[in-house]
Each structure stands twice: as structure tokens, then as C-alpha cells.
Amino acid sequence: FATRPTALSRDRLDSLRMIARLASDKLTHLREQDDLTRIKQMIESAPVNVMYADRDLTLRYMNATAVQTFKRLEQYLPVKVDQMLGQSLDIFHRNPEHQRRLLADPRNLPFSALIRLGPEYLDLTAAAIIDHNGQYLGPMVSWEHATEKYLTKQREAETAANTAAVNQLLLALARAGSAGEMITAALTTVREVFGWVYGSYWETDPK
């Protein structure tokens, strides 16, 4: 290094500026690469099922958790898990037109849906992936195996409906003045609370 000030030519200054700019760009690129590597590792090892599809809704990525979960559900899939990459997301839907319209436009995202896969239920959330230019790259879908949660919710709803039916029937019976009114009240309660369309009874002549 110089021990005293040195006059630099314009060409030398330009060269030093170019070297500094190139070094800065390289460092920025390396930092971005490091950030991308960290993000990718975080997604890959996340305990959440994550998938990514391009704008054509072709599946391009699944993290390790998604692969493992799909392996447990493989018997209900139209293709083997090892063959899923490169497939269209249409394979998850019998009538995919509605989902295609939703996922094709980032203004529709995020959105959530519960879909059925064989006897199993999957709770999906789709979000838009946007690049630094604001261009839509495709949907990222996170999901959970929600069968037990769905069945628990169904059981709770059924229990609530049963309780409501009993309470409503008790009130109706208290107002009934004859056996016919009691039976009619019971049938009406069942139809209203359980959503049944039809209910009837008939009397037999004891003679």
C-alpha cells in the first residue's frame, strides 16, 4: 500500500470503481444466494406440507413433509407419489375448471378449501408467489391432513343437532293435548332439526 498520497489517473479511478462495483455486486449476489439457500432449507424441513405449481398449475415442488404425508395417502392418489412432480394439480379434482379459474388469477388468492381424497380430508390454503417484478409465478399450496378434525367437527355438529332436537321436542310435547298432536310434534321436530323432507305415521284400527 502507499505510504503517501498518490495521484490517480482518471482511468485508474474508473478501474477501481468498476472493481468495487463488481465486488459489491458479487457480495450482494452471494448474500442473496445464502438467503435463498436458507429459505429453501427452512421450507424443505418445515413440519408443514408445502407444494408449488407454476402458472400452468403443473406441480414443480413438494417439501419433504408433503412427500411423507402423501406416501401415507398414496393408495387414494391417481398417481404414485414419486410420479407427482410434473403432473397437473387437476389430478386432485374431478371437475378442475373451478379450481383452475381460482388459481389462474392471483387476485383470488389466498383462499382455503377442504377437499376429499378417498375417505380422507385435506385442508388446503393457496397463496400467490410473486417475483420481484410483480409477476405471478404460480400458487404455493400448504395443507394438512384434516380427516380427524373434520370428523370431530361433524360429531360435534351432530351432537348439537341431537340436543336441539330433544329440547325442541320437549317443548312441543308440553304443548300437545293428544297422542296425535304428540306424534305430529315429534315428526315436525325431526324434519326441522335434521333437515328431513318427509315424515309420516298412521294409526291402526284396534278392531
Side-chain angles (χ1 to χ4, degrees):
F1 57 92
T3 58
R4 58 184 179 182
T6 302
L8 298 176
S9 66
R10 180 178 296 276
D11 290 343
R12 179 59 56 83
L13 283 171
D14 289 343
S15 297
L16 288 173
R17 291 191 184 102
M18 180 175 291
I19 291 171
R21 186 166 59 251
L22 291 172
S24 177
D25 290 346
K26 182 63 175 178
L27 286 172
T28 299
H29 178 72
L30 290 174
R31 291 192 194 100
E32 291 175 349
Q33 289 297 108
D34 287 343
D35 288 343
L36 288 174
T37 299
R38 282 194 293 270
I39 292 171
K40 184 176 180 180
Q41 289 176 346
M42 288 170 60
I43 294 174
E44 182 64 20
S45 58
V48 179
N49 304 291
V50 177
M51 304 184 297
Y52 163 73
D54 60 24
R55 293 190 66 171
D56 294 325
L57 303 187
T58 300
L59 186 58
R60 298 300 182 189
Y61 171 77
M62 297 187 295
N63 72 345
T65 302
V67 172
Q68 293 170 5
T69 306
F70 272 133
K71 284 285 188 182
R72 296 196 294 270
L73 303 172
E74 192 169 51
Q75 60 181 313
Y76 310 119
L77 294 171
V79 297
K80 296 291 186 183
V81 175
D82 296 338
Q83 301 171 349
M84 287 180 64
L85 292 182
Q87 297 283 341
S88 171
L89 292 183
D90 292 348
I91 65 175
F92 292 104
H93 308 284
R94 291 183 178 178
N95 300 300
E97 292 80 11
H98 176 65
Q99 284 74 20
R100 277 196 160 271
R101 285 194 298 270
L102 281 175
L103 297 175
D105 189 344
R107 291 173 297 182
N108 296 326
L109 305 177
F111 86 95
S112 298
L114 185 72
I115 69 170
R116 189 166 184 174
L117 184 65
E120 307 293 337
Y121 290 87
L122 308 180
D123 193 357
L124 310 181
T125 299
I129 302 298
I130 308 295
D131 68 12
H132 62 281
N133 294 318
Q135 297 298 312
Y136 177 47
L137 300 178
M140 180 185 73
V141 180
S142 61
W143 57 278
E144 64 173 323
H145 186 194
T147 301
E148 186 56 37
K149 182 171 71 174
Y150 174 79
L151 294 178
T152 298
K153 186 176 180 180
Q154 289 292 96
R155 288 193 294 267
E156 291 174 349
E158 183 174 334
T159 299
N162 292 341
T163 301
V166 171
N167 291 337
Q168 186 171 326
L169 179 58
L170 290 175
L171 291 174
L173 293 178
R175 294 191 294 266
S178 66
E181 290 179 356
M182 292 174 60
I183 295 173
T184 300
L187 291 174
T188 300
T189 299
V190 168
R191 285 199 304 269
E192 291 177 353
V193 176
F194 296 155
W196 291 5
V197 176
Y198 176 76
S200 66
Y201 77 99
W202 59 92
E203 296 181 3
T204 59
D205 187 347
K207 297 180 181 181

